[in-house]
Amino acid sequence: MTERRVVISVDMEGVCGVSSWVQVSPPEFGGLVSGAEYERARERMTLEAAAAAQGALDAGATDVLVNDSHDTMRNLIPELLPDGVRFTSGHDKPLSMVQGVQEPGVVGLLFVGYHARVGSVRGPLAHTWNGFIRDVVVNGVSTGEYGLNALLAGHYGVPVLFASGDDVAMGEITAELGSGVVTVPVKEGLSAFAAAHLHPREAQRRIRDGARRAVEAAGNATPYVTRWPAHAQVSFNHQARADAGERVPGVTRVDAVAVGWHSPDAYHLFQTFRMLAKVAEVRLDG
């Protein structure tokens, strides 16, 4: 039998019922957190991933890998996933949010719980990667985690088939990745910290149905690509972060808070971005 493998990248900010950082922050780090709120959010995150996995299985997927893609990447409750589904755990993965797309036989990537890019109006918890990146631009196009992940998947010939999350994110994904991606909005963004949500079980039903339809049509999908070599640029919220970023080999200063570089392919682009996000974690108090 021909393999039809699917990878599900599941984040938490775009999950139904989530609209506050308190809900998505693992309590182990302290600060403004709530163990009860986080536990409820991680359960809904897992159930939405499970719904997408079941939809993929309904469509004939022979293998489903659920890649935990939020924060510590140790959020999933494995017992709530369908029998036979594999999952990842741990944040130090070579391909981060799309770990698994490099495996042979993968026909598509599904996004679950995805959010809008930083700066988006009405996008609940809109951000890109962390709290201090202010924009990511690839060949003149501002993008979010969805775009970076789609390009990296495309490097391995894997198309994005499906996405669920807030309505702002779904609009951005359609605009950038194309209308061929099946999108399921599970909440309507009202502001950065408010949303009108579907009932969680209704959200899960829609996700399962959308994932099924998306995987059934996988043969018609094409990977997301851009022009190579590509020029990328990252803007930060403080000049000290750009100071650190421009010390990375191959990276140049664009302005007070931005750095840029050229990449021959999506793997190089993604890993350079990831490195810049890390080295920019500098103290701002001198």
Side-chain angles (χ1 to χ4, degrees), residues 55-262:
L57 293 169
D58 294 343
T62 58
D63 178 81
V64 177
L65 173 67
V66 179
N67 183 36
D68 192 330
S69 300
H70 175 68
D71 202 285
T72 61
M73 301 187 178
R74 292 185 285 102
N75 309 281
L76 290 169
I77 305 170
E79 293 80 6
L80 298 180
L81 295 172
D83 288 353
V85 169
R86 297 184 296 136
F87 68 98
T88 67
S89 180
H91 73 280
D92 191 21
K93 293 176 286 196
L95 299 185
S96 190
M97 296 180 73
V98 296
Q99 185 66 35
V101 296
Q102 80 287 355
E103 296 182 359
V106 176
V107 299
L109 173 65
L110 282 63
F111 293 153
V112 172
Y114 267 55
H115 53 80
R117 68 177 180 265
V118 62
S120 299
V121 177
R122 293 190 308 100
L125 305 185
H127 68 283
T128 302
W129 208 258
N130 56 40
F132 55 77
I133 288 176
R134 288 293 171 262
D135 197 11
V136 180
V137 179
V138 178
N139 284 337
V141 177
S142 289
T143 191
E145 293 169 18
Y146 51 82
L148 294 169
N149 290 336
L151 284 171
L152 185 54
H155 179 74
Y156 296 95
V158 176
V160 176
L161 306 178
F162 170 88
S164 66
D166 66 78
D167 63 327
V168 179
M170 298 304 98
E172 292 176 355
I173 286 171
T174 297
E176 183 171 346
L177 305 187
S179 58
V181 178
V182 175
T183 57
V184 173
V186 300
K187 58 188 171 186
E188 176 189 356
L190 303 177
S191 72
F193 303 112
H197 307 266
L198 296 175
H199 189 284
R201 284 193 292 274
E202 176 61 22
Q204 293 155 28
R205 283 191 288 268
R206 295 188 188 189
I207 289 170
R208 178 174 176 175
D209 177 68
R212 176 189 55 77
R213 291 187 285 111
V215 175
E216 285 177 344
N220 300 321
T222 56
Y224 181 52
V225 296
T226 188
R227 183 179 66 256
W228 303 107
H231 180 262
Q233 180 174 312
V234 175
S235 300
F236 302 103
N237 66 348
H238 196 281
Q239 60 270 25
R241 303 194 193 280
D243 290 345
E246 72 172 325
R247 298 174 192 138
V248 174
V251 174
T252 59
R253 194 68 168 256
V254 175
D255 59 33
V257 295
V259 296
W261 73 98
H262 287 85

Side-chain angles (χ1 to χ4, degrees), residues 28-51:
E28 63 200 80
F29 301 114
L32 187 62
V33 299
S34 165
E37 289 269 20
Y38 168 74
E39 288 299 323
R40 285 193 289 268
R42 72 188 290 232
E43 179 176 342
R44 289 194 296 271
M45 171 190 179
T46 305
L47 289 173
E48 290 191 10

